[in-house]
Amino acid sequence: MELNTEQKIAAEYMDGPALVLAGPGTGKTTTLVARYKHLLVNDVPAQKILSCTFSKKAADELKFRLGEATDIQTKSLPIGTFHSLSLRILRSIGKPIGVGEDFVIWAKDWEREKVVDGYLKELIKAGVYKKVDKDDINARSALRFIDDSRESLLDPEDASVKASEKGDVAGIAHADLYSLYNNYLNTENKIDFPRMVQLACKALKQNADDGGKFGKKFTHVLVDEYQDVNLAQKTLIDLIVAEGTQLWAVGDDFQAIYGWRGSDIRYILEFSKQYLGAKVITLPQNYRSGTLIIDAANRISANIKEKFDKDLKATRGVEGEIIYDHLANEDNEAEAIADEIEERIRKGIPKSEIAVLARTNKLPINTVNILIRRGIPLNLKGGVAAFTEYEAHLLLTAIASSSEQKLENIWALRMSPALYGFSKKLIGENWERRVKALTTYIQKRPPQGMSDEEIKEQEENLERYRDYILKFKDASSLFGILKSVLDNNENTDRVFVGTIHSAKGLEWDTVIVMGWEDGMLPQRQSISHRAFEEERRIAYVGITRAKNFLMLTYVKERNGQENVISPFINEIFNAKWALPNEDVSTIPADDKNTETPKEKFMGQYSSRSMSDNERTEWRRHLKEIRETVEREAITKIADGQGDGSGWSDQSAGTGLLAEAGYTVKKGGPISDERQSILTDVLQGQVDLPDWISESVQDQWGEPNTEERFSKIRNTINVALGMQKGRLDPSVQAIEKWEDDLTFLDEQLLPQMKELNNN
């Protein structure tokens, strides 16, 4: 295998744990395969090399690449996902923890939701969900809480403690449901996927305590995408490494974008602290993107606060192109994207080398509809879909019935007898009359239980789809194009449309990343600085998918709301970079790149529809927007959730007390340790990241003040009250909190007062 210097060093390192920082396009899989091959050359048996990936597709690719690079048969080797490794563990050593040999793997979400929904109804009747927001009272939300708890290795009791610590009312209720669901799985001898890793960790720990040797089967463990591991997956690896196995991990902290599902960037950032003597090796050479795209990526990554300091280095010797398009509304955006795609196709770019990416799966709906109408074949991923709403499916079904055509199963719905009869009466009517009549019929008969606002929204959606459908000349044209454009055959030449998350690990010649508005990218669901950092990394992943052409769009008004430009746009283009047709002399002296003449900027970035006045206004506000947004992102470190806000995930990612290590979960710090943490928090002796420290003082008050003392006490008291309100409260947690409140009142408060009096 032909490797560059850094790849060779990484593949051949044998002196202890190693972390390989492989940025986008730097040959991560090549290096992983080379590592495996190096171990084989050095007489390590293939059966003693454990390889963990995050998807079956990645595992299959690794096996395929290994088969090409070596003469080994990979089918039976320990190469697979964390779930397949867990399954191997449970089948081998699961019996001591009560996992029978004949357990059933339960993979269908609808079956899980059905069981959970039954328990949910019981608990609603019992009053457990009395104080929970109605949006959180559903089986899907409960299952999400249960699965997240398992991936954090929390049993129902500790899950309830964590929910109390966060002030999470829904979580407190879901924890009771979690207990019932667990009992059901145990009785039925079933294991669903999220539970698999949790049980595998338990089995490995029991095996080690019993002097077992499962972990000793392996001498080397290779972990792909290490930045994405959650607590359960990391614990699984650690339990194997503890038996003497050498760890070699590859990942990229700049591409850590799964914090919302349990991964923690601190696992990769603190790799050297966790595994003493570990070597960190960086792969800087990017073989994917043009220079301009690499420069933009480096500028946005420069603003990441918690990171390894590194830059990508372009190697291809081409500049590439970046287009920034400033548009009035989402319809204009969809048209501009479709125009650009058609232009790229005319220039000879295969459709399969073009991608449209968005932060959410709902954002591209207008664009998908335009592309469908233009007959451009699509590969929809990441939950992006056409005609997604119930009323859209219903309208298509009725139109198909009135046209005597068979509808694809992905859209077909069971119609009411009345709608079916009405649609049949319209057979033979002209196209426009049929579509309008069916739209009106459905509008006037909304489902029962809908609010006035929901009815209005449904009416507007139906009118939008009516107008869209009428752009086709007849039913045959509509359904024919839908079938050809949205065929599920991925091997054909199709434009990819999906979320940025669904694009991770992929690359295209042409990438269009839409929706660069503050509130969209970055999203604003959390005020946590860590959440804001993850949004920045999501932006980084989006732009680094492009090889040669990158288009970014900003919409002034979306869904009737006026937007401001994403602060990340400023980072991508850099305040020191002039824009086309802009007089560099107007830029303040301290904001110029004096080493680069204006000529170099000309033509590098363009805005297809921005007037000179708009460009000047945009340029003037960019820096101010970014600074304002970042200030907002790091304020309220422990505020916003009432007196118990010190626990909230909205604050500093985990909350100040949690950040300091305070918890009453089973196996957490003992009494003296907890009370030492509380003392340190009161006295301001907690070691915090720089970006938290200033805000902590603003929100918690000065160290050794009544304001800070009250904040600590109220935080614990709220958690205690929430736990006591459960059907099955955690006795050990209550005892610990009450003990700590006594410590605060009888020891810490007098100490603070004495100190202040002196």
Side-chain angles (χ1 to χ4, degrees):
M1 298 180 69
E2 190 172 332
L3 304 175
N4 64 38
T5 302
E6 295 86 3
Q7 289 171 335
K8 184 175 173 59
I9 291 170
E12 298 180 359
Y13 185 75
M14 298 287 281
D15 294 333
L19 172 64
V20 181
L21 297 174
T26 59
K28 172 178 69 71
T29 305
T30 296
T31 309
L32 182 56
V33 172
R35 171 63 172 182
Y36 203 109
K37 186 176 180 181
H38 180 74
L39 294 176
L40 295 177
V41 169
N42 283 271
D43 299 322
V44 178
Q47 288 290 348
K48 286 187 172 293
I49 306 170
L50 175 63
S51 299
C52 296
T53 66
F54 274 83
S55 68
K56 186 177 183 300
K57 182 179 179 182
D60 290 344
E61 182 185 0
L62 179 56
K63 287 181 179 180
F64 176 78
R65 295 275 294 270
L66 280 172
E68 285 191 324
T70 68
D71 59 358
I72 62 172
Q73 297 297 313
T74 61
K75 186 175 181 180
S76 62
L77 293 180
I79 299 172
T81 64
F82 281 97
H83 288 117
S84 66
L85 169 60
S86 299
L87 185 59
R88 182 187 290 253
I89 291 168
L90 293 177
R91 294 210 186 280
S92 176
I93 58 171
K95 196 170 183 180
I97 64 165
V99 177
E101 295 179 358
D102 58 343
F103 65 82
V104 177
I105 299 173
W106 214 26
K108 295 178 181 177
D109 276 343
W110 70 267
E111 290 181 328
R112 299 201 307 147
E113 287 181 14
K114 184 177 180 181
V115 170
V116 167
D117 191 54
Y119 289 123
L120 180 65
K121 288 173 181 174
E122 289 180 18
L123 293 178
I124 290 172
K125 288 180 181 177
V128 171
Y129 280 85
K130 187 176 181 180
K131 296 181 180 179
V132 179
D133 189 294
K134 67 176 183 178
D135 291 339
D136 292 319
I137 307 177
N138 58 76
R140 187 163 294 180
S141 292
L143 262 179
R144 187 163 53 245
F145 173 86
I146 292 168
D147 292 346
D148 289 347
S149 298
R150 288 161 163 177
E151 290 174 349
S152 297
L153 296 181
L154 300 174
D155 62 15
E157 181 181 352
D158 275 347
S160 77
V161 171
K162 182 179 178 182
S164 295
E165 292 175 344
K166 291 171 56 180
D168 179 5
V169 177
I172 290 285
H174 292 333
D176 285 330
L177 198 155
Y178 178 14
S179 182
L180 295 174
Y181 181 59
N182 246 18
N183 292 338
Y184 168 83
L185 293 178
N186 291 336
T187 302
E188 298 293 322
N189 197 23
K190 292 180 176 179
I191 298 177
D192 52 10
F193 279 109
R195 196 185 193 199
M196 205 173 281
V197 183
Q198 182 187 34
L199 288 176
C201 289
K202 186 176 180 181
L204 277 177
K205 189 175 186 309
Q206 185 65 52
N207 184 255
D209 291 344
D210 292 343
K213 298 180 180 179
F214 184 90
K216 293 183 174 66
K217 289 182 179 182
F218 309 105
T219 57
H220 294 268
V221 56
L222 314 181
V223 183
D224 191 16
E225 304 284 12
Y226 190 79
Q227 77 280 351
D228 292 335
V229 295
N230 59 37
L231 179 61
Q233 292 158 344
K234 181 179 183 298
T235 301
L236 192 72
I237 294 300
D238 287 347
L239 287 166
I240 293 173
V241 169
E243 298 296 326
T245 306
Q246 188 176 92
L247 174 61
W248 188 94
V250 60
D252 180 19
D253 53 307
F254 290 176
Q255 298 184 80
I257 60 173
Y258 288 105
W260 53 275
R261 71 178 190 192
S263 66
D264 191 331
I265 192 171
R266 284 175 288 190
Y267 297 151
I268 189 170
L269 294 178
E270 296 175 2
F271 190 91
S272 295
K273 292 181 183 178
Q274 171 76 35
Y275 309 105
L276 297 180
K279 185 176 182 64
V280 178
I281 304 160
T282 301
L283 306 184
Q285 298 187 52
N286 177 283
Y287 298 97
R288 174 185 298 166
S289 305
T291 306
L292 289 178
I293 296 167
I294 293 297
D295 288 345
N298 286 337
R299 286 195 292 274
I300 197 168
S301 67
N303 290 279
I304 297 173
K305 303 294 186 294
E306 294 183 284
K307 63 180 178 179
F308 288 102
D309 285 322
K310 60 187 187 297
D311 277 337
L312 292 174
K313 295 179 181 177
T315 62
R316 289 180 51 221
V318 299
E319 272 203 337
E321 184 179 1
I322 301 179
I323 297 294
Y324 170 80
D325 218 342
H326 180 290
L327 299 143
N329 55 52
E330 58 263 49
D331 290 334
N332 289 358
E333 179 186 46
E335 294 284 356
I337 290 172
D339 289 346
E340 198 63 64
I341 288 172
E342 289 184 334
E343 177 64 21
R344 298 299 290 172
I345 293 171
R346 278 194 292 271
K347 289 182 176 180
I349 306 301
K351 299 179 189 72
S352 59
E353 280 292 326
I354 301 172
V356 180
L357 307 181
R359 177 62 181 86
T360 69
N361 57 19
K362 291 184 178 179
L363 191 61
I365 289 175
N366 276 11
T367 300
V368 167
N369 289 341
I370 293 293
L371 294 173
I372 289 172
R373 202 171 74 224
R374 297 194 187 187
I376 297 174
L378 303 178
N379 177 18
L380 304 183
K381 291 294 182 182
V384 175
F387 298 94
T388 53
E389 296 92 342
Y390 168 82
E391 56 267 25
H393 285 224
L394 196 58
L395 181 58
L396 283 177
T397 304
I399 290 172
S401 176
S402 72
S403 307
E404 297 185 296
Q405 294 206 8
K406 185 178 183 300
L407 188 62
E408 295 293 309
N409 287 336
I410 60 171
W411 291 300
L413 287 178
R414 184 184 297 275
M415 290 184 288
S416 68
L419 177 57
Y420 176 78
F422 184 72
S423 69
K424 289 300 183 184
K425 288 181 181 178
L426 293 173
I427 293 174
E429 293 283 352
N430 73 62
W431 172 240
E432 183 175 347
R433 167 164 162 66
R434 272 187 289 136
V435 173
K436 288 182 176 180
L438 288 168
T439 302
T440 302
Y441 186 95
I442 295 170
Q443 281 179 322
K444 290 184 176 180
R445 294 162 180 82
Q448 289 186 347
M450 291 182 72
S451 66
D452 291 343
E453 186 177 338
E454 289 170 333
I455 291 172
K456 186 175 185 299
E457 182 180 355
Q458 186 186 76
E459 288 177 351
E460 291 173 351
N461 282 338
L462 282 164
E463 288 171 4
R464 179 164 53 86
Y465 279 115
R466 175 200 64 198
D467 295 344
Y468 175 76
I469 289 168
L470 285 174
K471 294 182 188 295
F472 296 87
K473 63 180 182 179
D474 54 30
S476 296
S477 172
L478 169 66
F479 295 123
I481 287 179
L482 287 180
K483 181 169 173 37
S484 65
V485 167
L486 298 175
D487 192 318
N488 290 327
N489 184 359
E490 294 183 18
N491 295 322
T492 55
D493 193 21
R494 297 178 175 276
V495 172
F496 181 102
V497 184
T499 61
I500 296 174
H501 285 88
S502 69
K504 191 165 174 287
L506 304 178
E507 61 182 26
W508 297 270
D509 170 274
T510 297
V511 172
I512 300 167
V513 186
M514 59 189 299
W516 290 83
E517 298 111 41
D518 186 28
M520 182 58 66
L521 185 61
Q523 286 197 320
R524 290 296 181 186
Q525 295 175 345
S526 170
I527 59 171
S528 158
H529 182 83
R530 285 205 174 100
F532 189 77
E533 284 272 89
E534 183 158 313
E535 292 294 313
R536 183 182 276 115
R537 295 194 296 268
I538 291 169
Y540 176 88
V541 168
I543 65 178
T544 54
R545 302 307 94 198
K547 299 176 188 174
N548 299 311
F549 182 93
L550 176 66
M551 177 179 178
L552 313 175
T553 66
Y554 158 73
V555 168
K556 183 67 175 174
E557 184 178 290
R558 191 182 299 277
N559 297 324
Q561 294 185 334
E562 191 164 320
N563 300 308
V564 294
I565 297 167
S566 166
F568 300 152
I569 286 291
N570 180 48
E571 297 174 11
I572 291 170
F573 291 105
N574 196 331
K576 295 181 180 179
W577 285 62
L579 295 172
N581 305 321
E582 184 170 1
D583 184 357
V584 179
S585 66
T586 65
I587 304 174
D590 61 353
D591 202 24
K592 289 182 185 177
N593 187 335
T594 55
E595 297 177 358
T596 311
K598 178 182 178 182
E599 287 73 25
K600 183 170 182 179
F601 301 127
M602 297 297 290
Q604 285 192 342
Y605 310 114
S606 62
S607 176
R608 293 286 167 89
S609 60
M610 187 187 291
S611 68
D612 289 343
N613 287 340
E614 286 175 325
R615 181 179 291 111
T616 300
E617 185 69 12
W618 176 62
R619 174 74 173 76
R620 188 173 67 81
H621 282 299
L622 275 179
K623 192 171 184 179
E624 179 184 343
I625 289 168
R626 174 190 160 194
E627 291 173 351
T628 300
V629 169
E630 291 228 282
R631 278 198 302 272
E632 291 173 354
I634 63 173
T635 57
K636 297 190 177 179
I637 289 302
D639 210 15
Q641 296 288 318
D643 289 337
S645 59
W647 300 98
S648 172
D649 274 342
Q650 301 295 310
S651 48
T654 56
L656 178 57
L657 291 184
E659 193 79 29
Y662 181 89
T663 181
V664 298
K665 290 182 291 189
K666 297 188 302 293
I670 62 175
S671 178
D672 288 347
E673 292 170 338
R674 292 195 315 276
Q675 290 165 14
S676 177
I677 291 169
L678 294 174
T679 302
D680 288 343
V681 171
L682 178 64
Q683 295 176 353
Q685 300 299 314
V686 180
D687 185 19
L688 296 171
D690 291 341
W691 50 266
I692 292 180
S693 300
E694 187 175 338
S695 275
V696 164
Q697 189 162 305
D698 290 342
Q699 301 300 325
W700 284 68
E702 297 279 353
N704 286 315
T705 61
E706 289 190 14
E707 181 183 2
R708 181 167 290 201
F709 178 86
S710 295
K711 187 76 172 183
I712 295 169
R713 195 187 191 290
N714 289 341
T715 295
I716 295 175
N717 201 43
V718 169
L720 173 63
M722 294 184 73
Q723 187 63 213
K724 284 184 173 180
R726 291 185 63 223
L727 285 180
D728 184 23
S730 170
V731 175
Q732 66 88 23
I734 289 171
E735 288 177 350
K736 289 176 182 176
W737 278 323
E738 288 180 337
D739 185 39
D740 291 345
L741 286 173
T742 300
F743 166 76
L744 285 170
D745 293 339
E746 296 182 1
Q747 295 186 50
L748 204 51
L749 181 58
Q751 289 175 16
M752 182 191 75
K753 288 182 176 179
E754 183 179 351
L755 179 66
N756 290 338
N757 289 335
N758 291 335

